[in-house]
Amino acid sequence: MLGASRRSLSAVARLRGAASCRAVSPSVSSPDFPNKVSESEHGAPQFQKRSFTLLSVPSSFGFHKFQQSNLRESITINKRYESSAAAVDSADSSCEKFEYQAEVNRLMDLIVHSLYSNKEVFLRELVSNASDALDKLRYLSVTEPDLLRDGVDLDVRIQADKDNGIVTITDSGIGMTKQELVDSLGTIAHSGTAKFLKALKESQEAGKDSNLIGQFGVGFYSAFLVADKVIVSTKSPKSDKQYIWEGEANSSSYTIREETDPEKLLPRGTRLTLFLKNEDKGFAHPEKIQKLVKNYSQFVSFPIYTWQEKGHTKEVEVDEDPTEAKKEGDDGTTAEQKKKKTKTVIEKYWDWELTNETQPIWLRNPKEVTTQEYNEFYRKTFNEYLDPLASSHFTTEGEVEFRSILFVPSVKKEELIDSKTKNIRLYVKRVFISDDFDGELFPRYLSFVKGVVDSNDLPLNVSREILQESRIVRIMRKRLVRKAFDMILGISLSENRDDYERFWENFGKFLKLGCMEDKENHKRLAPLLRFFSNQSENEVISLDEYVENMKPEQKDIYYVAADSVTSAKNAPFLERLTEKEYEVLFLVDPMDEVAIQNLKSYKEKNFVDISKEDLDLGDKNEEKEKEIKQEFSKTCDWIKKRLGHKVARVDISHRLSSSPCVLVSGKFGWSANMERLMRAQTMGDPASLEFMRSRRVFEINPDHPIIKSLNVACEANPDDPEALRAVDVLFETALISSGFTPDNPRELSSKIYEMMGTAFAGKWTSGSAEVEHSQPSPLPGIQNNEASEAEVVEPVQVEQQK
């Protein structure tokens, strides 16, 4: 049949038969013919048999300029060709004209008028058909050895004539009889056509890519994506005759005739000649053909040869100057008696060149493949210059079978915003399908992983719709993700710690994104995360290392978010935890806090933000706390009344030891770091920002002298302006030290200057009159003469001490 059954049920182009052919009854398109299309149990049309291909031996185009004489066409497949296929004369009285089956006309314009944007897949389809024909022949020859009696090698050969825009594809496969040509190239199942048109309409209405080539396949008719006319010359070993099928685009009929030219007879197989459209003649360049074969059919199991221009060096004589030839040399000999001069030139010629590798590395036993071979395959396949950090070669069997090799790059090229990458190359039965995926095979956060996947369970043509809906693909994705995590975990457990530090520097953000997007794999993601801490400021540590270093009485994993390690280290929230020698993670990357909040816990230990309210360090003394609350309850109410809506409440702090106060966030509100990040968002919602920041709690340290002084002021004179100003300054200062941004920094500065002026008034005053000429003090509240004395007298004293 025409290649794989899934490919042969493709959209059909309208073909025009030669005018000189006699018409044949339309009954040839009747569904009663053998080898007709049937519907599978899933409703998809399928051929009942596969007995032919559409590729064959090329004939002469006579396009090689380096030859002056006309060369006879070479018909032996394994012989070196020096020309390509010539145009076939269809004006033969013996040819028959056939009409296509009904419903085909509805598909005419779709393929011919560039329905598919990716035209280069035509070569992939036709080469795959050729491979199927060779497979069919090899399979049948086990029971019918006579099929190989011609002794022709099993291979595929492709020639390109860039001058005339002709491409010829030849295989030595099973070939076709006349009846098989009629049954396969002239009919199509109604259900397949209807489903194709329905899918096309739905994709257009949804505004999606109309490239349905993967869902229904184009098979042989992919040739009409680039060709105006296609000629198929085929010889089946089961028949004594060779037949030529000829059709043109925008036609409803085709012709079949017997080959009578003895120079064009094939020993076995099929020759497919494509006469390209003007706009698609770029495909007729030998370099282009070679590139497409290497991209799509690099690992087809049969050799693929392309017709390429080559060259070898040759020494030729150089004509000498006659005047120089008559001169005598120093030894008395003439120049003519000396050795003649030569030069090296490159002589060009055309020959077959093996283009593919028949044994892909992923089909080999992993124990037999060296690290050097993996690295070489990685660099060559993905155009890299550095070896990968790690690789994983595995085969999955059982419900779904596929082979794969995955790699972790050494450097980062993709960014998180790049949702589409070309890092995963999907093969079906060793035929390249696509590398343009958007999360179907790998989630976005693992888009940095590179590799190849080869499946025998997927249809040869795979569209995005199939990838999204296929149960096989879902199982493949699940297993690929697990293997990727195992590979990354192997790097983290390596004795060389630098390897994982390099990985984390390049791809740590991707894993943090995974914590946000992939809840199912949190247990695999968490051990791979790394953070700084108050006990490890110079190098990152894992959560496993944190848990291992936890104190026996410690119940939770503590963290604090800040814009830098320095800010986190000096945050007032750490004071009591540092005294207790508790380790605190520093979340200094913008993604850290969100990633941790999505994880929620690790090894049954909850993540606790020490900048949030109700922090429990497990050392509460209820009786002592009760006494302190009674002692400072009036002060807390007094401060809350002064601050008003700026805070939700005022509490006694259990996390401070040296700072007088701190401002903490509500349990379910944003932290200071998150508020800072949300403010920086260009599309941030001010209303939500105001709501989330409203739950601020002002905590005071009852052991600090400032708080004790305020407690006395509250008892003695709660309306004292100086005390009230001190509360304001205390709150504004706590805003800054806690990581928040004051609403009015200028007002805070003025209050600080005022208090400094009051505190410094008369502190450095001297009775000396020598300082009257000094400059005025910049501090408010200090008299000019006092400032002058301070600024002049103090430096003089220092000089005297020296």
Side-chain angles (χ1 to χ4, degrees), residues 438-450:
D438 187 14
E440 289 86 2
L441 287 178
F442 263 96
R444 183 175 60 152
Y445 68 89
L446 287 178
S447 61
F448 62 90
V449 176
K450 299 185 178 183

Side-chain angles (χ1 to χ4, degrees), residues 56-64 71-76 81-89 157-161 164 166-170 231 233 242 244 259 261 263-266 270-275 307 352:
S56 188
V57 182
S59 58
S60 176
F61 290 152
F63 68 96
H64 307 298
L71 300 176
R72 292 187 59 188
E73 177 186 15
S74 300
I75 62 174
T76 304
Y81 285 83
E82 297 184 358
S83 59
S84 54
V88 179
D89 183 10
R157 296 178 181 261
I158 308 174
Q159 288 180 286
D161 179 358
N164 298 308
I166 301 175
V167 174
T168 303
I169 306 172
T170 303
I231 296 176
S233 183
Q242 178 174 324
I244 297 176
E259 179 60 79
D261 188 347
E263 295 185 356
K264 298 178 181 179
L265 293 178
L266 304 173
T270 306
R271 176 179 64 230
L272 183 61
T273 306
L274 280 63
F275 297 85
W307 188 247
W352 292 111

Side-chain angles (χ1 to χ4, degrees), residues 453-519:
V453 180
D454 187 6
S455 171
N456 291 331
D457 297 321
L458 287 171
L460 186 59
N461 295 292
V462 183
S463 68
R464 177 146 295 139
E465 290 79 5
I466 287 181
L467 287 175
Q468 292 173 344
E469 300 172 3
S470 172
R471 175 175 168 272
I472 296 175
V473 173
R474 289 196 296 269
I475 297 175
M476 289 176 59
R477 172 190 167 108
K478 190 173 183 179
R479 294 181 181 176
L480 286 170
V481 169
R482 289 181 179 178
K483 288 294 183 179
F485 280 128
D486 292 342
M487 181 172 52
I488 298 172
L489 183 61
I491 303 176
S492 69
L493 299 177
S494 172
E495 295 180 358
N496 189 354
R497 190 180 180 96
D498 294 339
D499 285 345
Y500 195 77
E501 289 181 357
R502 183 163 42 143
F503 168 83
W504 182 253
E505 182 180 354
N506 288 322
F507 306 110
K509 291 181 182 294
F510 289 80
L511 299 186
K512 296 171 188 176
L513 179 64
C515 295
M516 307 174 199
E517 295 185 344
D518 193 353
K519 184 178 180 180

Side-chain angles (χ1 to χ4, degrees), residues 253-268:
S253 62
Y254 58 94
T255 64
I256 296 179
R257 61 186 174 87
E258 182 181 345
E259 179 60 79
T260 57
D261 188 347
E263 295 185 356
K264 298 178 181 179
L265 293 178
L266 304 173
R268 181 189 69 236

